[in-house]
């Protein structure tokens, strides 16, 4: 796949931004972000520098998403001309730039982890948003079927869930 032709989808940008904003190590949010990146056909190698076989265009797109998670002060420092800054501001600018690199590396490591799990047969192929919704609806149907003494008609709810699934694109 030609990495220069990859454009991040809106859902990927949203999932990646959410993962970057989560200060904890919430694994499921990173799995969703990686699934979304991989559904857009992004590999860990594509996020390398151009010198190492990556795509500068794709790196630029990911860096733009990373920047959306920065404070306004950090964004201003990065955009500022380094020559116009005093030593303290230059240090803060360098720290902000290193933060971009660290987050890019974090994204790469999560993608590598997903790629390795798939190679080892431990993971499924990345899922699109529609595939995740279908899976969640299937789980809901399974739970409905196991209810004991429900106060509503589970068969009717299951029928409506299946109708909703039928309205979405086929997998």
């Amino acid at each position: 796949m030609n990495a220069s032709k990859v454009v991040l989808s809106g859902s990927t940008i949203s999932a990646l931004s959410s993962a970057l904003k989560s200060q904890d190590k919430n694994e499921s949010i990173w799995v969703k972000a990686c699934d979304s990146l991989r559904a857009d056909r992004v590999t860990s190698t594509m996020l390398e520098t151009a010198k190492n076989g990556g795509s500068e265009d794709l790196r630029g797109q990911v860096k733009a998403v990373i920047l959306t998670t920065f404070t306004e002060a950090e964004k201003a420092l990065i955009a500022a001309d380094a020559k116009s800054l005093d030593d303290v501001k230059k240090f803060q600018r360098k720290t902000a730039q290193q933060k971009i690199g660290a987050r890019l590396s974090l994204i790469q490591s999560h993608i590598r982890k997903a790629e390795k799990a798939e190679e080892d047969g431990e993971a499924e192929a990345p899922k699109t948003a529609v595939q995740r919704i279908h899976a969640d609806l299937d789980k809901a149907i399974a739970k409905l079927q196991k209810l004991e003494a429900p106060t509503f008609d589970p068969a009717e709810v299951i029928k409506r869930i299946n109708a909703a699934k039928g309205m979405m694109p086929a997998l």
Side-chain angles (χ1 to χ4, degrees), residues 118-130:
E118 190 172 313
E119 285 171 15
D120 295 345
E122 298 169 8
E124 302 170 14
K127 292 182 180 177
T128 64
V130 173

Side-chain angles (χ1 to χ4, degrees), residues 16-110:
L16 189 54
S17 180
S18 295
L20 288 164
K21 287 177 186 173
S22 74
Q23 295 301 312
D24 57 3
K25 302 290 182 207
N26 185 340
E27 194 64 28
S28 65
I29 201 164
W30 278 104
V31 168
K32 181 179 178 186
C34 285
D35 277 355
S36 199
L37 280 163
R38 295 177 69 229
D40 283 353
R41 301 194 188 322
V42 174
T43 65
S44 60
T45 308
M46 291 176 179
L47 294 177
E48 294 287 344
T49 60
K51 185 175 84 176
N52 292 331
S55 163
E56 284 303 319
D57 179 56
L58 183 59
R59 281 176 66 90
Q61 291 180 60
V62 173
K63 284 179 181 179
V65 175
I66 292 169
L67 278 174
T68 65
T69 67
F70 281 27
T71 65
E72 291 304 316
E74 288 172 320
K75 290 177 192 176
L77 278 172
I78 289 170
D81 180 17
K83 293 175 183 158
S84 67
L85 301 174
D86 61 29
D87 288 344
V88 172
K89 294 287 186 197
K90 283 181 183 176
F91 176 76
Q92 291 171 336
R93 182 175 191 263
K94 184 177 180 182
T95 302
Q97 288 173 326
Q98 288 171 336
K99 201 166 147 183
I100 294 171
R103 290 188 177 178
L104 192 56
S105 293
L106 178 66
I107 294 165
Q108 275 185 288
S109 70
H110 280 284

